[in-house]
Every structure is written in C-alpha cells, then in structure tokens.
Amino acid sequence: MEYNIVIGLETHAELNTDTKLFCGCSTSFGSEPNTQTCPICLGLPGVLPVINRKAFDHTLKTALALNCEINDFVNFDRKNYYYPDLPKNYQISQNHFNVGNNGSVDIIVKGEKKRIGINNVHLEEDAGKLVHPEASDAGHSLIDFNRAGVPLVEIVTNPDLRSIDDVQGYMHTLRNILQYINVSDCKMQEGSLRFEASISLCRKGAKVFGNRVEIKNLNSMKAVMKVLAYEISRQKELLDKGAQIVMETRLWDEVDGVSRRMRTKEEAHDYRYFPEPDLVPILVDKKSIDRIRETIPELSAMRRQRFTSEYLISDYEAGILTESKPLADYFEECVKLTIVSPKELSNWIINDVLRVLNEKKSHIQDFTISPKMLVDLIEMKSEIGGSIAKEVFSEMSNTGKDASSIVREKNLTPLSNAEELNFIISKIIEDNPKAIEDYGKGKKSALSFLVGQTMKITKGKANPKILIDIFREKLENNL
Amino acid sequence: MFLHELTANGIREKVKNREVSCVEVVKELFRRIKQKEALIEAYIFLDEEGALSKASEIDDKLESGKEIGLLAGIPIAIKDNISTKNIYTTCASKILENYIPPYNAFVVKKLLQEDAIIIGKTNLDEFAMGSSTENSAFHITRNPWDTESVPGGSSGGSAAAVSADMAFMALGSDTGGSVRQPASFCGNVGFKPTYGRVSRYGLIAFASSLDQIGTLTKDVFDAAMLLQVISGHDALDSTCSALDVPNYLSDINCRDNVVRIGIPREFFREGLDSEIRNALMNALEIYKKNGAVVIDLSLPHCEYAIATYCIIATAEACSNLARYDGVRYGYRSRLDDDNIVDMYSRTRAEAFGDEVKRRILLGNYVLSAGYYEAYYLKASKVRNLIKNDFDEAFTKVDCIISPTCPTPAFKIGEKILDPLEMYLSDVYTNIANLVGIPGISIPCGFTTAGLPIGMQILGKHFEEKKILQIAKLFEQETDFHLQKPKLD
Ligand SMILES: [Zn+2]
C-alpha cells in the first residue's frame, strides 16, 4: 500500500562557547573525565546558575538565521526528570518563552525548493555522559560530568518533512547554516550535533495521520537516515497487516541497526515544567537584535548564487566551494590576491586542495597552505610548468613551506638558462639522427619526441615551451 | 556582666580596644556553651578548634597593628543550611548527614573577610521546612525561655543560641518567617532583608523565589552591623540586586522616618493571642507618643497568602530537593539495588523526614500535567495581587506593623501532628516572602507566662535602613531586648 509520511526533527547543537552555560568551566572536548567541573555544574547543594551571555547571543543569532520571530521576553524553565547524568535532576531549558518562534529554512530537494517551518529555537544545558563498563556484570556505571552544563541550542521543526530526502536536505542545510554563522562546530564524532525524530504514516488519501512515534538517541545524520528508513518499513509492514502503530518513544540501537521501545505514551514523562526561579528573565530589545543580526554573514545559498555570477564558475563548482564557510572564505581570499582567473583557482581548490584534505581527513581551517601560498604557486606555474607545480603543491601540503623555497631547495628551477639547455639539446640532436631526419621530412611528431627526451633527461625541469622554440630554431638552421 | 552576655558590638568594642583578646572571648563562649548546650541543643556541629585558630589569627592582626574587619573577633553561629567550606553542612537531614561542602557561601566569605569567627552550625527544621525545629533529623532544640517549649523555626537553633548567650549573633534563613518567627519566640531581633539584597549563593535552597538569608541578633544595632557585612551584589546570584548598600549604622538613631505606620486590620482578627494583641497596642502607643501616625489598612488578598505560599514553596522545593538522589553525594541506601530507580526511591524514602516528604509530594502534585494551571499558575497570579496590595499600602504608609506570630512559643510536640496548625504560625510572616519586602521582628513584651512577644515591622523593597531606624526607636524607648532567660 502507498503511504504518506510526516516527519518532525529536533536538533541539538552544542554551541561553541569557551565556557559552560551557567558556570565558568571549560567546554573543550576530550579531557580526563570530571576534570571540567565545579560545584555549579555538579549541582552541589546551594549553587546557582548565571547565564553565559555569549551562549544566549549564539541562540539569538541562530533564531535570526532561521528567520524566527524573536521574543522580547525570554525566560528559562526547569524540566524535571530523574537521570543519573543530570546533576540537579532537572534540566534548565525553555518551554514557555523561547528565544525564537515561527521560523523557516529553505532546502533544495531534487532540484526543487521547499520551505521547512521552524517551530522554535531555544537554549538549554547538556547533561553528563554515562560510561558503562564493558563487562556486563560490573554492577556499576560511571558518570563523566565534563559535558554537563555545556550550552545546547535546540531547533524544533514543524512536521513539514515528507520524505527521507527532505530530512537529509534539511539536516545538511541546517548544519551548513550553523557552521556559517559560527555558533557550532557541528562535529558529529564529538556528539556536538544530535537529533530526535518523530514520524507518523498514513495511507495515501486518508485524512487523519497515524500515531506518532518518537525516536531518541540519534547521534549522527547517518543514524537519522538509517532509523527513519527502518521505521518507515517497520510501520508500513504493520499497517499493511492492518495493525495499529503504538504511540511511543523508541531508542535507536546503532550497533544492531534497529529501534526499540523505550516507553509508551502511558509511561511518558511528566516534566512538570515551571519557570526557573534562580534566573531572571532576559528582555530582548531591538538594539540587541540588530547588533546580533549584523554579525550574520551571507549564508551559503546566497553565496553560491553570487559565486556563479560574479566569478563565472559553474553552479556545481559554486556548490562545492560554498559547502562550508571556511572553504568559501578560502576561495574568495585567493581571488582577492591574484589576477589568476577564479575558474583556475576553483579548479585547484576542488581538485587539489580538497583531495589533500580528504586524504588527510583534515579541515580547510587547519590546512598548511594559506591562500597567499596557493596563489604564489599558481602564479609560478607558467614558469615552472604544470607537473612541477603539482609536485611543489604536494610538498607544500606536507611541509607547510612556501612554493619558492621548495623550488629553490629541491633545485626545481626550470632550466631556462640557455647555455645549459643548448648543451643538452645539442647532445640530443647528436644522439637521435633518425628523429632529425624524420623532422626534415616534415614529420612534426619528431619534435615532440625530442622535447620528450629532453624532459626525461632534465627530469622535467625544462620549460617545454622554450624547448620547442630552441629545437625549432636549431633544426631549421641545420636544414 | 559576663563576657557572653554582651552584644556583638559590645564584644567588638572590647576587642578593638584590646580589653580582651579574641581567644579569651572564644574560650569564654565555649565555657558557656559547655554549660548550656546539653539543655538547649542549639547546635548540630561545634568547631572550637577552628574558632580558636581564627581567633588567634585576629589577635595576631591586632598585635601587629594591621587593619581589622567590621566583625573582628565576634563569634558567630551559622544555620546549618548555609554552606561552609570543609565544615559539615547537613540541613538537619539524614540525606546530607556526611556532606562537607567544597566551597563557602557568599555570606560566609563576607563574614570571614570581616574577621568574624565561625563557632558552629545551628539546628533547624530539615531543609528549613517547619516552624518549631522539631523536624530536625538529629535532635530538637529547646526554647531558653521555657525549655518545654519550641524555639520556633526553622532557624530555631540560631535563635536559641543567641538567646541563651551561646553565640553573639547568628545567621538564619527566612523562606516564610524562619528568621522572624524564632526571633519572636526567643526574644531576639530577627531581620529578613529584601529578596535580592543578600546573595543566596551557598544557601541550600528550599524555595528559591522566597528564600533569603537573615540575621538573629541581641539588638537592632547588631542586626544593622551584620546586615551591612552580608549585603551587596554577588555575580554568582542572578537574582541578587546590584543596588548600592547604604550605610545602615550611620543615622541609625535618626527618628525622621518614623512617620506613618500602617496597621493591616486582617492581621488583628481571630486566631491572635490576646496578650500579643495588647503588647502590640502598647507598642503602637509608644510610636504615637513619638510622633507617629497610625493608619488603618486593608490588605484584601492576604487571606490567600498561606495557600499561595504553600503552592509556590512546595513546587520549588520538590524541584530543588530532586538532586538528593544518592548518586553523587550524601546518603545512599545501603541495600543492594538492582536498578537505579529502586536506589533513588529507597535513598529518599530512608533519608528524608515526613515533613520534607509531605512537601515534595505536594509540590510534585501542583506542578503535574493538568494541575499546573489550576495551582502553580493561579498561585503566581495571586502572588501578584498580594504584591499589588502592598504597593498600594506603601503609597499611604512608611511601614507596616503587626505581631510577628499569632501565638507565643508553643509546647514541644503540641503542633507536630497537625501540619496545618503549624503552617498558621507563619500567617503574618510569609507575606513578606511572597512580596519580597524586608521585615524585622523585635521584642515588644512578654506573656504572663514569661514568654517573649515579637513585633514585626515591614518596609518597602530595599528600605532596610528605614526599618532599622523605626525598630531602633522602639528599642530606645523600651527594655524588652535587655531581658535574659533564666537558665540556671
Ligand atoms: Zn562548572
């Protein structure tokens, strides 16, 4: 049977602030367990939260970038539930007075533009992390509170996503926006981007949607795609059999690739939200909205368009270059530094720079070759020849040295010096009478052969254009 | 006069003038404590060693002519719900029996900066929930004026210690009257500042929007002195005001502000003990004699105050107390639990007392889905109406005077089985917490049985100074504050 699908997505992104949301502890990733904690983020008796203004500004920036209406009265609420990784057994979150509401994101799915509604954008604190020992009979679990209190922006869509392609397009666009406005690193492997999905199916043509299933614990975009594919087929199978979908919360098991029941609607938590009395409401005036709005850069969709018209590169290339803001910035930095055509720069970046970054599993921000260094190399190309240029590029990417010093050190300077070249060429003419003869008979390919031989002997250091000129001159004279 | 009978300011003068050393003061005080503590049981923890070492530190300072703090050499007791670094802080609860905070509360830091000497931690109703100190998990505290009676609560230990001359001054906390009511029962001066005047950082929360640290002292001047030290902005408490702290000590004898006194008629109706009513009427006569005008007032929404208070306080409490789960610190059930939920349940069932459990249940109820609007939200609205009553009243008067409590100290065990009767003990005091205004309780007479009677003076937000002046006038005209319980 054919079904319509309705999906809503909640995204939690760790904000890239230096310190936690309500205390001064560092947010850096990968430290020894429980070394980035203090009485406040451990929820010791008597402590109080103090809002990190930068985290708030980042949330405001996110809400603005997602075209939300900004609330002038913003407040926090306590979300009460017991879990060992939650130090206070309540999470400071927002329920009634979010930072932003009623936003939207435009995504492109199969070439078509689609608008996804954003229900709300709000700010909350992260919980710690449970570490379960490998032995199943260990009888205990450990808790690392380094992550407890790290600021999260939560972005909640309306149920506007109608297919897995929509979801993929939305997640990519959202990640791209968060990175562009520089509020989150969106590093999946560090868990800085996490999702919860809700999905319901109904038979095509039916007016009422089926029961909603929520799925928690989705720590990557891949997991979201996998779980939704799994859920759609699971629910289809049930509906085909005429069974009812149970309204419930399921947990994604990454290892086994299945979702499992966590709790049914009857067992659902009552979070007993109420306004957080330890924080004062934040009044957001037009001035602070304008101040934050000014810090939002041109987003990738706009930039992609501009790249094709301003730099005359293809939409495909512009798409790759604007995929991440640092890469697009890198490209534009290069453009500014040289008269080399943007098209050629784009070729270098897409073919060479991205290949090396891929091999090294590295990011453009950490790339050893600065835009200035790349431009210097490309400008040198006409002099040293394409193949040497590529060789120098790979050396640069390994060592971080600039092009001219590599050329100098490795003695890669092209043999444009006539005396030395004349000597080598005379020798080649002497050694290859057959080719000289062929050339005399008008066989133009003989010239290519001779140039090739010279390149071989000079290990590619000669400039082929100059070589051709010299050979021509000598051979014409000889005849 | 014995050293321990002096006021804090009296000790301060003696120490400053080098008539007595801080070590001598501490030793003398501990002699007194050793005589009387077995009877009163005001303390949960005494730190004689720490007090002596701090005392000799200050003596060294004095010796070398270094500048000394405002509270130099004054031994002070701290209610055991205020965090003291490396000193047990139990909230009189089994669940925190072995908890030692790794940090000092803001007020404790301030005290130490001003060279006060911390002598120990005083008894309270568990997590400050109660009006008699009978809800302590460890022991009851007796009223020095009648050891068969309660000292009031929840700061009963602090009040009894000051009253029995076992501390020169003490810190308490006041969520619904927990400083003013025991001050009234024990014949002290008890001051609850404006919400936000004193940082709550380190005060173990009961009800966050109502809690405020307050003072228990032997007279009004001592209250002003202690308030001066603990008031002020703290970046670690978002609800703490950044307003400048006026000098409470200068002009404390000024009488210019004793002008219009409001008397809320709702506070003088049924349930008020007649001896207390008479004491209040006499007190008002003294003010009138000194030029004040007494104005009849109505605070129409005050009849909902107790219900409003019960809902807001318990809602906040159930959330604040959720962290005591046996996972990270404090008591954990010793039974081998096979799952975390059982561990939570047993830990909390075994280590919380009945009154705390009652309030946690009530709080969860009023916040739960389907009830939130009917209870918590409605209570928040009523709270605003009560605030409006006071805003309106303060356009006509400079302060509001009432009894602190409807009755004098009651007998131990008399009300413990009737929680509602117990809650009524806060009927005149918890309104100040709902509204956030400052209030003081000062002695204004004695019953025929010889129990102290307290008078409450409420003022506008941040008008602590005016309240202190109004209270000081009364003290200068009377000698109730000079009476001491006979403990021999
Ligand atoms: Zn921290």
Side-chain angles (χ1 to χ4, degrees):
Chain A
M1 237 174 290
E2 291 279 302
Y3 295 97
N4 284 324
I5 300 166
V6 174
I7 300 167
L9 210 60
E10 292 178 14
T11 306
H12 293 89
E14 267 183 13
L15 295 172
N16 58 7
T17 54
D18 295 335
T19 54
K20 293 186 180 180
L21 184 50
F22 297 119
C23 66
C25 289
S26 164
T27 54
S28 67
F29 180 79
S31 308
E32 284 290 300
N34 297 312
T35 52
Q36 286 163 193
T37 57
C38 71
I40 297 171
C41 55
L42 288 175
L44 292 192
V47 299
L48 298 168
V50 175
I51 182 86
N52 177 338
R53 279 309 293 217
K54 191 170 171 198
F56 181 80
D57 286 353
H58 274 11
T59 311
L60 187 53
K61 196 172 175 182
T62 307
L64 285 168
L66 299 176
N67 308 302
C68 286
E69 294 161 13
I70 304 301
N71 296 310
D72 52 9
F73 180 93
V74 174
N75 205 3
F76 289 88
D77 294 286
R78 288 190 186 176
K79 181 178 181 179
N80 294 286
Y81 66 96
Y82 281 81
Y83 207 69
D85 64 7
L86 194 63
K88 303 181 292 290
N89 284 322
Y90 61 80
Q91 179 194 30
I92 303 179
S93 179
Q94 298 185 300
N95 188 39
H96 290 103
F97 300 100
N98 298 305
V99 175
N101 285 95
N102 304 325
S104 67
V105 182
D106 289 342
I107 63 172
I108 309 268
V109 181
K110 293 185 177 144
E112 274 186 44
K113 195 162 121 179
K114 217 178 151 174
R115 181 157 289 185
I116 306 301
I118 300 294
N119 181 287
N120 74 77
V121 172
H122 67 259
L123 175 59
E124 62 185 27
E125 58 178 337
D126 207 347
K129 205 172 175 177
L130 284 180
V131 183
H132 302 290
E134 282 184 24
S136 58
D137 60 349
H140 68 269
S141 293
L142 300 169
I143 317 172
D144 177 4
F145 287 107
N146 282 353
R147 207 179 65 184
V150 166
L152 297 176
V153 60
E154 180 169 343
I155 300 144
V156 183
T157 70
N158 289 330
D160 291 350
L161 301 155
R162 296 301 153 107
S163 67
I164 290 192
D165 288 338
D166 280 5
V167 172
Q168 186 170 32
Y170 168 75
M171 287 191 299
H172 269 106
T173 309
L174 181 66
R175 182 177 65 172
N176 183 276
I177 291 172
L178 295 177
Q179 286 175 332
Y180 253 79
I181 62 176
N182 193 24
V183 297
S184 174
D185 303 330
C186 299
K187 288 182 184 154
M188 300 284 178
Q189 61 278 18
E190 296 178 9
S192 64
L193 204 56
R194 284 168 279 162
F195 305 91
E196 287 175 30
S198 64
I199 174 167
S200 69
L201 267 61
C202 79
R203 193 175 301 166
K204 270 213 165 114
K207 290 251 158 51
V208 193
F209 266 93
N211 276 333
R212 214 161 51 123
V213 171
E214 288 182 25
I215 312 139
K216 288 186 181 286
N217 195 28
L218 305 171
N219 291 330
S220 68
M221 306 206 305
K222 246 187 228 152
V224 175
M225 306 299 287
K226 277 197 245 169
V227 81
L228 288 175
Y230 176 89
E231 266 307 300
I232 289 169
S233 76
R234 183 185 75 88
Q235 293 191 22
K236 269 185 182 166
E237 215 169 283
L238 283 169
L239 291 169
D240 281 346
K241 280 193 285 192
Q244 274 275 330
I245 302 296
V246 183
M247 195 163 180
E248 61 185 356
T249 301
R250 297 176 75 86
L251 218 52
W252 174 240
D253 184 329
E254 184 77 54
V255 181
D256 295 348
V258 295
S259 69
R260 292 200 180 88
R261 170 171 301 168
M262 187 179 154
R263 53 177 180 251
T264 60
K265 188 190 164 206
E266 287 70 34
E267 303 159 324
H269 280 145
D270 176 359
Y271 290 120
R272 290 157 291 136
Y273 281 106
F274 75 101
E276 167 57 273
D278 287 331
L279 289 166
V280 287
I282 299 173
L283 304 177
V284 186
D285 56 9
K286 197 178 162 297
K287 226 172 91 188
S288 50
I289 293 175
D290 290 344
R291 178 174 58 82
I292 298 296
R293 203 191 294 277
E294 271 170 24
T295 64
I296 297 177
E298 178 188 30
L299 297 182
S300 79
M302 294 283 289
R303 206 171 190 185
R304 178 173 179 167
Q305 241 172 36
R306 180 168 64 80
F307 275 18
T308 56
S309 58
E310 194 173 330
Y311 302 129
L312 307 172
I313 57 176
S314 70
D315 179 62
Y316 171 76
E317 289 171 304
I320 294 175
L321 290 174
T322 55
E323 174 74 26
S324 90
K325 180 169 182 291
L327 187 66
D329 289 346
Y330 188 94
F331 168 71
E332 287 211 281
E333 188 65 24
C334 289
V335 171
K336 259 189 251 161
L337 289 169
T338 182
I339 52 157
V340 173
S341 76
K343 174 79 187 163
E344 181 166 6
L345 293 170
S346 155
N347 286 342
W348 271 90
I349 291 173
I350 292 173
N351 298 328
D352 299 285
V353 174
L354 287 184
R355 178 180 47 78
V356 168
L357 290 177
N358 244 334
E359 282 167 12
K360 298 191 179 203
K361 294 194 165 48
S362 172
H363 299 279
I364 190 77
Q365 299 96 301
D366 312 319
F367 193 41
T368 45
I369 303 177
S370 69
K372 173 85 173 69
M373 287 160 71
L374 183 68
V375 162
D376 285 347
L377 171 66
I378 298 173
E379 283 175 348
M380 223 183 257
K381 204 187 81 180
S382 60
E383 206 181 314
I384 60 177
S387 61
I388 291 184
K390 299 273 157 153
E391 198 184 322
V392 172
F393 176 81
S394 100
E395 189 67 17
M396 286 167 77
S397 71
N398 286 328
T399 62
K401 290 179 182 166
D402 61 29
S404 55
S405 48
I406 290 171
V407 166
R408 206 179 319 115
E409 277 168 32
K410 299 211 134 192
N411 199 18
L412 294 171
T413 327
L415 290 171
S416 40
N417 140 359
E419 202 175 313
E420 198 177 341
L421 262 187
N422 269 328
F423 177 76
I424 294 168
I425 288 168
S426 306
K427 181 105 191 351
I428 284 178
I429 291 173
E430 235 175 82
D431 291 352
N432 295 285
K434 176 80 170 57
I436 310 299
E437 201 176 307
D438 287 349
Y439 185 80
K441 284 178 191 159
K443 247 192 179 175
K444 296 295 170 202
S445 64
L447 185 59
S448 316
F449 172 77
L450 290 168
V451 170
Q453 289 298 302
T454 319
M455 291 303 277
K456 219 184 207 169
I457 286 169
T458 61
K459 295 195 174 103
K461 278 196 244 169
N463 184 331
K465 267 190 202 151
I466 298 175
L467 277 184
I468 291 171
D469 289 345
I470 299 176
F471 269 114
R472 267 211 190 106
E473 199 191 320
K474 284 206 187 248
L475 293 175
E476 304 285 321
N477 288 347
N478 270 8
L479 293 175
Chain B
M1 202 181 211
F2 293 107
L3 213 47
H4 59 253
E5 291 180 321
L6 291 173
T7 62
N9 190 43
I11 284 293
R12 195 180 78 98
E13 294 289 332
K14 277 203 172 347
V15 164
K16 213 170 78 183
N17 301 332
R18 314 290 310 272
E19 289 170 49
V20 61
S21 75
C22 296
V23 168
E24 281 172 287
V25 172
V26 170
K27 280 187 172 160
E28 154 70 13
L29 187 70
F30 273 90
R31 258 196 302 278
R32 171 73 178 176
I33 290 170
K34 273 161 202 159
Q35 281 170 13
K36 303 298 170 198
E37 173 63 1
L39 176 62
I40 304 297
E41 293 194 276
Y43 287 93
I44 288 176
F45 180 78
L46 281 159
D47 186 16
E48 185 170 4
E49 207 181 309
L52 280 169
S53 112
K54 177 80 183 175
S56 73
E57 216 177 273
I58 299 160
D59 282 337
D60 288 348
K61 253 190 186 179
L62 283 158
E63 190 67 38
S64 62
K66 280 191 198 137
E67 212 168 301
I68 52 161
L70 184 64
L71 302 180
I74 302 176
I76 182 166
I78 302 201
K79 189 178 182 180
D80 207 22
N81 60 350
I82 296 174
S83 301
T84 41
K85 188 175 178 177
N86 301 331
I87 298 175
Y88 287 103
T89 301
T90 68
C91 287
S93 179
K94 200 175 163 188
I95 213 152
L96 286 177
E97 195 169 2
N98 294 311
Y99 171 68
I100 300 175
Y103 73 100
N104 273 328
F106 175 86
V107 290
V108 171
K109 240 187 275 174
K110 286 286 212 174
L111 292 181
L112 295 175
Q113 268 170 24
E114 294 297 332
D115 292 328
I117 298 169
I118 293 169
I119 46 176
K121 306 296 291 284
T122 54
N123 200 16
L124 63 150
D125 288 297
E126 184 178 5
F127 283 100
M129 295 179 185
S131 306
S132 67
T133 313
E134 290 166 289
N135 293 330
S136 167
F138 306 132
H139 52 78
I140 59 163
T141 294
R142 293 173 186 275
N143 190 320
W145 292 89
D146 168 22
T147 52
E148 296 304 309
S149 286
V150 300
S154 64
S155 311
S158 287
V162 171
S163 172
D165 290 329
M166 298 196 296
F168 290 94
M169 50 188 3
L171 286 183
S173 68
D174 190 315
T175 305
S178 281
V179 159
R180 290 160 288 156
Q181 185 255 25
S184 154
F185 281 15
C186 292
N188 308 146
V189 171
F191 201 114
K192 179 205 97 77
T194 309
Y195 184 80
R197 180 73 290 178
V198 176
S199 167
R200 291 182 294 120
Y201 190 77
L203 168 65
I204 298 181
F206 157 17
S208 310
S209 75
L210 304 161
D211 292 345
Q212 188 62 197
I213 290 172
T215 62
L216 289 130
T217 55
K218 296 182 181 181
D219 66 14
V220 173
F221 189 88
D222 281 2
M225 198 160 68
L226 186 49
L227 193 61
Q228 192 76 57
V229 169
I230 62 172
S231 296
H233 183 59
D234 176 14
L236 290 178
D237 178 358
S238 313
T239 64
C240 187
S241 170
L243 279 179
D244 281 343
V245 180
N247 187 331
Y248 296 129
L249 297 169
S250 68
D251 320 321
I252 193 163
N253 295 321
C254 167
R255 295 180 168 203
D256 299 347
N257 287 316
V258 189
V259 187
R260 299 169 300 168
I261 295 171
I263 303 297
R265 61 185 90 109
E266 288 84 358
F267 286 24
F268 288 84
R269 288 182 182 158
E270 73 270 29
L272 176 60
D273 180 282
S274 60
E275 284 189 297
I276 294 179
R277 169 193 288 270
N278 291 339
L280 258 292
M281 291 307 149
N282 293 337
L284 290 174
E285 286 308 314
I286 291 172
Y287 278 115
K288 280 187 200 161
K289 246 184 252 162
N290 283 280
V293 183
V294 173
I295 297 167
D296 174 60
L297 272 185
S298 174
L299 299 167
H301 294 97
C302 284
E303 63 172 299
Y304 307 111
I306 286 213
T308 305
Y309 174 85
C310 278
I311 290 167
I312 288 171
T314 57
E316 291 176 3
C318 78
S319 175
N320 284 330
L321 269 61
R323 69 190 66 193
Y324 309 109
D325 57 7
V327 173
R328 286 147 295 128
Y329 50 79
Y331 180 87
R332 180 189 288 184
S333 171
R334 278 178 216 286
L335 288 162
D336 248 342
D337 296 287
D338 43 10
N339 72 61
I340 184 87
V341 176
D342 288 347
M343 194 280 277
Y344 287 155
S345 308
R346 273 205 277 263
T347 295
R348 291 166 68 83
E350 289 165 18
F352 280 141
D354 287 348
E355 183 60 28
V356 171
K357 284 179 190 163
R358 182 157 36 235
R359 297 195 192 193
I360 290 173
L361 284 172
L362 196 55
N364 277 309
Y365 178 76
V366 300
L367 287 178
S368 55
Y371 296 99
Y372 176 83
E373 286 77 10
Y375 293 109
Y376 185 84
L377 209 60
K378 181 72 72 64
S380 303
K381 287 176 184 164
V382 176
R383 186 177 186 175
N384 277 328
L385 293 175
I386 296 172
K387 279 182 188 166
N388 293 344
D389 281 359
F390 274 82
D391 286 345
E392 170 76 23
F394 280 122
T395 61
K396 298 181 205 132
V397 300
D398 301 294
C399 70
I400 292 172
I401 287 185
S402 76
T404 307
C405 300
T407 68
F410 45 86
K411 295 288 180 201
I412 292 163
E414 187 184 325
K415 296 188 179 178
I416 195 70
L417 293 176
D418 189 348
L420 284 179
E421 185 68 19
M422 189 76 93
Y423 298 162
L424 284 176
S425 197
D426 291 341
V427 66
Y428 303 142
T429 47
N430 64 28
I431 301 166
N433 303 79
L434 287 170
V435 179
I437 52 174
I440 197 171
S441 175
I442 55 173
C444 73
F446 289 87
T447 63
T448 42
L451 290 172
I453 296 171
M455 167 169 70
Q456 174 175 250
I457 308 168
L458 300 173
K460 266 197 243 186
H461 288 95
F462 297 103
E463 291 202 338
E464 280 79 6
K465 186 163 177 160
K466 197 189 265 187
I467 293 179
L468 288 164
Q469 289 169 342
I470 295 169
K472 182 73 181 174
L473 179 147
F474 187 79
E475 208 176 71
Q476 282 169 335
E477 300 292 318
T478 58
D479 63 358
F480 302 117
H481 64 289
L482 298 176
Q483 310 296 317
K484 296 220 176 262
K486 288 171 187 57
L487 266 173
D488 307 310

